Amino acid sequence: MSLTASSPAEIAGTIAGQRLTVGVEEEFLLLDPGTWRNAPVADAARDALAPQVRELTRVEFRRSMMEMVTPVCSSLPQLRAHLAANRSAAAAAAHAAGARLVAVAATPVAEPDRTVEDTPRFHAISRHYGPIAHDPALCGCHIHVGVPDPQVAVQVCNHLRPWLPVVQAMTANSVFHAAADTHHASWRSIQLERWPSLGPSPFLTSVAHYERTVAELVGSGVMLDDSMVLWWARPSRRYPTVEVRVADVCPAAGDTVLVAGLVRALVATVLDDIAAGRPAVRPPEHLLRAAHWNAAHQGLGGTLMDLRGRRAVPAWDMVDLLTETAGPALRRHGDEAVVALELARLRTEGTGADRQRRAGDLPAAMRMLAGLTTG
């Protein structure tokens, strides 16, 4: 990152009103279709991909995981097409390797092989964090929204903080651990709390403040290096984007389209706020963390925190408030109808966690998710 001469409000004013780009990284588990244990066949699955598709995958930390990345997209229909193609290709490659590709966010049964992929970086992480790095594999959905200036990206992350527990609740899709219901909607979120550099992003005033904070955390030993910024929202190190990392991997491509559309609209909305000089809501850190824990625990089945009013409200009231707040940006991007359709389906079918529990038992839930993964 480098400092810019103009103020964030001036820069945001040049971005506000534009159509923002969006891209998605989805992580999937490779599961044995007989036992639903994790299958360490990622290398074979990647080798089974066509060369042009292999460019859209990444080597993940664990050998039972497969990540697929969309190109930069300008519209939600374009994004949906890329998500569907990625999922179809990855599922076929997983089948060729003797596994099922499943969009589930936490290891449901067990991971007998917890070795990391053989790269110097992954081995360094393994040594530094020890058993934490060898917890059962987890899968997220990371949404990138184009924000070309790093000063503005830092401010966007500040403004997003009160809304991210709602996104977390909407995408909760990890009920099972060790073959039992955890009584949490997003076990992934709970398990990730063991990582010391993960959670809500701190409130930062500038790029210089960001860089100083990261350097202090690296110096403390909490972060191995500056690539270990694992906050729920962060300025991307690799792309001119804000990256929102709070979501569980979603069961179906339509669920991912929904959350990507809402996140893009939220970013566009807060850009308007920054340009107008409206300050970010700054809830106390203990309440922000409590809101995230509650979202992971209940999903959309109970209450969520309205962090502006510092009170608990019915979860769907917060979803409606988020959608209403982002409404002008949804319309500006041409996303209102798509988001409304997917939101109506979410209201009827429930989150991934709800769908897993409704399936009856773990094998039925995994078969259901494997089907939803590719539509």
Side-chain angles (χ1 to χ4, degrees), residues 233-248:
R234 68 181 186 183
S236 174
R237 295 175 67 249
R238 300 174 63 184
Y239 309 112
T241 65
V242 165
E243 181 183 5
V244 173
R245 305 167 50 85
V246 73
D248 281 3

Side-chain angles (χ1 to χ4, degrees), residues 26-31 36 66 68 80 82-92 94 100-105 173 249-256 355 365-375:
E26 291 189 299
E27 298 166 343
F28 304 97
L29 279 183
L30 298 164
L31 300 183
W36 302 109
M66 197 166 185
M68 301 299 295
R80 186 192 299 269
H82 286 297
L83 290 168
N86 281 357
R87 285 170 171 238
S88 178
R100 294 291 299 273
L101 186 84
V102 183
V104 63
N173 184 37
V249 65
C250 297
D255 300 305
T256 307
R355 291 174 232 177
M366 293 306 106
R367 288 194 296 270
M368 177 271 297
L369 285 178
L372 286 175
T373 300
T374 55

Side-chain angles (χ1 to χ4, degrees), residues 63-101:
R63 298 174 61 234
S64 60
M65 295 175 64
M66 197 166 185
E67 181 180 28
M68 301 299 295
V69 180
T70 71
V72 176
C73 299
S74 59
S75 72
L76 293 189
Q78 182 187 23
L79 178 66
R80 186 192 299 269
H82 286 297
L83 290 168
N86 281 357
R87 285 170 171 238
S88 178
H95 180 75
R100 294 291 299 273
L101 186 84

Side-chain angles (χ1 to χ4, degrees), residues 256-268:
T256 307
V257 169
L258 170 61
V259 69
L262 285 173
V263 167
R264 174 165 72 168
L266 277 175
V267 172

